Amino acid sequence: MKLKQLEGLLGDLEQFSNPKVELEQYPTGPHIASRMLFTAENSYGDITDKVVADFGCGCGTLSAAAALLDAASVIGFDIDPQSLETATLNAEELEVEIDFVQCDITKLELKGQIVNTVVMNPPFGTRKKGADMEFLSAAMKVASDAVYSLHKTSTREHIKRAALRDFNAKSAEVLCELRYDLPKLYKFHKRKEVDIAVDLWRFEPRQN
Amino acid sequence: MRLIVHNMLSCNIRGVVNKFPLRIEPEKVIVKEVDFNPDFLKHMIAKIDWKALVDGARSMGYPELPDHPPTTLESDESFLRKFHHSLLELNLEEGSLVCPETGRKFSVNKGIPNMLLHEDEV
């Protein structure tokens, strides 16, 4: 599948109808989602024929992208039942098979070595401090091959240090810097739209 | 929920030791066909907890899997088809997952298991 085609398909997905600020629910836009998964597959072969988990999947944009790139199995995890309902509808609309599990990522323990790749757009930890790190820590325990994640560029050094020192990463690499468009979703947003710099990371776990 | 997911889920209540596999109590099972990918399946055999898969498939009304996977898989398409069906095509649409130690039930609605714990369980 071509990048533009993937981006087009993701652009038709339903997003949060009633976003919950405490969960930092921001939609992952089709531009970022398509580039993230396309890079994971085309540069590293981490998606096609792999088992892919999407942590904090929300409405399932990254899950859908993984399924469209022929992951062997995709599992989306989220705490919020309304998001999972929308994610299920999105999967049906695209005619892809995705499993969804309702759970708290930070308390999740998955057995075995089944998941190859974790992809995620975690909360940035602006509402609940440290939420981004809790997601990264959980992802590094589950993935056997690689973790792809988005984090604010302003936290780059902190992420790198934590990944290598605390989360047992063999490597932690920023693949590219992206602009994340945040539409005005919440009352506390003063401007109509803001655009923040985020890094697309790839982490390799040492061994799980 | 498909059995590939069941193979990873356990009961994470604090203090529980015997947490895997969760027993499946099905109310509604559906079958959704997916593409057969023998290379992927061969790769998965070593990673799957076989007994959990066999028991899960049986509880969902599919008793065709052998107690142990065959040691050579090269020409065994009929086995791989059964493995494929069990792992990726059986879907628990409604029912429960039950902790083997505590009997705590995690409900499955519209195919989605709810693994959230209550405050006194974490």
Side-chain angles (χ1 to χ4, degrees):
Chain A
M1 180 171 305
K2 295 216 163 60
L3 177 60
K4 281 284 159 203
Q5 197 184 350
L6 181 64
E7 185 174 347
L9 287 166
L10 298 178
D12 293 336
L13 298 180
E14 288 292 321
Q15 295 298 341
F16 303 105
S17 52
N18 202 358
K20 299 183 176 67
V21 64
E22 68 278 13
L23 297 175
E24 294 189 45
Q25 290 183 330
Y26 297 103
T28 313
H31 177 87
I32 286 192
S34 58
R35 273 147 191 85
M36 187 169 172
L37 274 287
F38 206 75
T39 305
E41 176 49 28
N42 282 38
S43 304
Y44 301 96
D46 280 328
I47 306 296
T48 302
D49 293 340
K50 303 290 180 184
V51 177
V52 179
D54 177 359
F55 277 9
C57 66
C59 299
T61 308
L62 296 176
S63 302
L68 289 167
L69 293 176
D70 294 320
S73 161
V74 183
I75 309 135
F77 296 86
D78 205 286
I79 200 167
D80 176 39
Q82 279 86 44
S83 298
L84 290 171
E85 210 167 292
T86 306
T88 304
L89 295 174
N90 281 333
E92 280 170 15
E93 192 65 32
L94 285 170
E95 299 182 326
V96 290
E97 287 304 321
I98 301 173
D99 283 292
F100 293 103
V101 175
Q102 188 186 356
C103 69
D104 179 347
I105 293 293
T106 62
K107 308 221 166 35
L108 181 71
E109 274 177 59
L110 291 181
K111 209 189 152 292
Q113 305 292 306
I114 298 175
V115 172
N116 297 107
T117 308
V118 174
V119 295
M120 60 181 185
N121 177 12
F124 290 143
T126 44
R127 304 295 293 186
K128 184 187 165 209
K129 207 169 161 18
D132 50 343
M133 292 315 216
E134 289 182 339
F135 268 65
L136 184 56
S137 167
M140 293 300 286
K141 287 181 194 146
V142 165
S144 54
D145 297 347
V147 173
Y148 293 85
S149 184
L150 298 169
H151 298 275
K152 279 176 151 172
T153 300
S154 57
T155 63
R156 189 178 288 181
E157 287 314 309
H158 177 52
I159 297 277
K160 181 153 201 152
R161 204 165 43 238
L164 295 173
R165 188 189 57 197
D166 306 329
F167 305 149
N168 208 26
K170 185 168 73 183
S171 69
E173 195 188 344
V174 174
L175 301 181
C176 62
E177 205 179 294
L178 296 157
R179 308 301 304 178
Y180 197 106
D181 301 322
L182 289 181
K184 185 178 174 355
L185 285 180
Y186 301 114
K187 285 210 180 88
F188 63 82
H189 286 157
K190 293 193 178 65
R191 276 174 293 164
K192 211 163 157 199
E193 193 169 289
V194 285
D195 172 71
I196 55 168
V198 297
D199 293 335
L200 169 58
W201 285 88
R202 180 175 192 266
F203 306 94
E204 281 179 298
R206 198 167 294 282
Q207 80 229 97
N208 278 321
Chain B
M1 185 209 68
R2 297 185 284 179
L3 287 175
I4 190 172
V5 177
H6 172 254
N7 220 275
M8 308 177 203
L9 295 179
S10 55
C11 174
N12 293 332
I13 294 176
R14 186 164 44 93
V16 172
V17 180
N18 180 19
K19 52 172 77 173
F20 178 89
L22 301 169
R23 200 173 72 246
I24 297 176
E25 287 183 356
E27 283 161 29
K28 185 180 173 195
V29 174
I30 56 172
V31 172
K32 291 191 211 165
E33 259 183 53
V34 300
D35 290 341
F36 180 59
N37 182 343
D39 289 337
F40 171 72
L41 293 167
K42 286 176 196 169
H43 186 67
M44 285 306 287
I45 286 180
K47 295 186 163 193
I48 287 286
D49 184 299
W50 191 256
K51 190 171 183 323
L53 178 69
V54 173
D55 291 347
R58 279 181 193 155
S59 67
M60 285 163 76
Y62 187 75
E64 305 298 322
L65 283 179
D67 286 337
H68 301 281
T71 42
T72 55
L73 300 166
E74 282 318 310
S75 55
D76 203 345
E77 183 169 326
S78 105
F79 163 76
L80 285 178
R81 291 267 173 199
K82 288 173 187 168
F83 180 37
H84 169 75
H85 184 72
S86 307
L87 191 70
L88 299 173
E89 294 190 326
L90 291 176
N91 281 264
L92 182 65
E93 191 66 8
E94 302 289 336
S96 307
L97 304 175
V98 186
C99 170
E101 183 170 309
T102 62
R104 159 76 143 91
K105 285 190 180 188
F106 298 92
S107 65
V108 179
N109 300 113
K110 294 181 185 165
I112 302 177
N114 179 354
M115 303 306 293
L116 285 180
L117 298 175
H118 306 309
E119 255 173 52
D120 58 355
E121 294 173 328
V122 293

